[in-house]
Amino acid sequence: QQVARGEYVLVLFAGVGMEALQIAGRTEATRVVAVELNPVAVRCARNSHKMLARNKAVKCLGAAERLEITEGDVLEILPKLERNSFDRVLAPRPKEGSNDGDMGDGTGGAAFLREILPVLKEDGGECHWYDFAADHELPICSRTQGTIGEACKELNLQLEILNVANVGSVAKRQTRICMDFRLNGKIS
């Protein structure tokens, strides 16, 4: 519902492409780019992409032509994308391996944000950052706000937190949240 006509949307860690397919099929976004590392998930997303092209019931014409599915590591793909070009980014923080923000070296979220922020439009670009929070952190989620704030500060970007939503439980006393934020230009 938040995607406006003409937006460039980036969906990271896209899995089988559910969000990217829905955005392409139900909105008038100009371009939707999905990035996923898992080759099996990418194959599923590409099969769905083919079906999207043949689907006569799609709400917005040209949906398949506006959707691009890219296989690869987000940290390798992001530096190759045009800077300051995406109006909206959907990005779940990794929760496994060495880039896990909780278990690995603890910098996973920050490392991804430092790569995501340069491709987001620095004046009005919005990010839907999915993270994990303990129930005692709700509703403010200051740890997540701090991670985002530090990444923005490093890149000299003004930050506005728009919303924090509880989007589901992942374990006892552990919640998945979506923190929506907007960039409001460079810090002067």
Side-chain angles (χ1 to χ4, degrees):
Q1 292 178 340
Q2 297 176 358
V3 177
R5 175 183 289 149
E7 281 193 357
Y8 279 50
V9 180
L10 177 62
V11 181
L12 300 173
F13 311 101
V16 297
M18 181 67 77
E19 291 90 353
L21 289 158
Q22 293 213 14
I23 292 168
R26 296 180 181 211
T27 74
E28 294 182 45
T30 296
R31 180 178 180 212
V32 180
V33 177
V35 180
E36 173 57 46
L37 177 62
N38 181 327
V40 175
V42 170
R43 189 168 48 250
C44 290
R46 288 185 174 145
N47 287 337
S48 296
H49 187 212
K50 289 176 192 172
M51 288 191 287
L52 181 67
R54 294 190 302 262
N55 189 337
K56 305 263 188 274
V58 170
K59 182 178 176 184
C60 298
L61 296 176
E65 291 78 24
R66 295 190 314 273
L67 175 59
E68 172 187 333
I69 298 169
T70 303
E71 182 178 343
D73 187 323
V74 166
L75 290 175
E76 293 174 8
I77 302 281
L78 282 169
K80 298 174 186 174
L81 296 176
E82 183 180 346
R83 298 296 181 232
N84 200 29
S85 63
F86 287 93
D87 299 286
R88 187 173 306 278
V89 174
L90 283 73
R93 176 179 68 79
K95 182 75 173 147
E96 61 184 40
S98 63
N99 286 320
D100 184 325
D102 296 328
M103 302 286 286
D105 61 12
T107 62
F112 285 102
L113 281 164
R114 282 192 295 273
E115 296 298 329
I116 292 167
L117 293 173
V119 302
L120 192 58
K121 287 187 177 176
E122 64 185 37
D123 197 9
E126 293 185 12
C127 182
H128 307 282
W129 178 253
Y130 292 84
D131 202 350
F132 303 90
D135 59 357
H136 69 273
E137 295 179 279
L138 299 170
I140 296 176
C141 302
S142 55
R143 181 178 49 84
T144 300
Q145 283 192 35
T147 301
I148 296 168
E150 282 300 312
C152 286
K153 185 177 176 182
E154 285 177 32
L155 297 171
N156 203 33
L157 294 166
Q158 292 184 47
L159 165 68
E160 176 185 1
I161 302 294
L162 302 172
N163 187 47
V164 179
N166 178 338
V167 294
S169 175
V170 293
K172 187 175 183 178
R173 302 185 67 183
Q174 175 119 17
T175 302
R176 185 171 178 99
I177 61 152
C178 180
M179 185 168 289
D180 300 330
F181 66 90
R182 177 184 300 131
L183 299 181
N184 290 321
K186 292 281 190 183
I187 297 171
S188 41

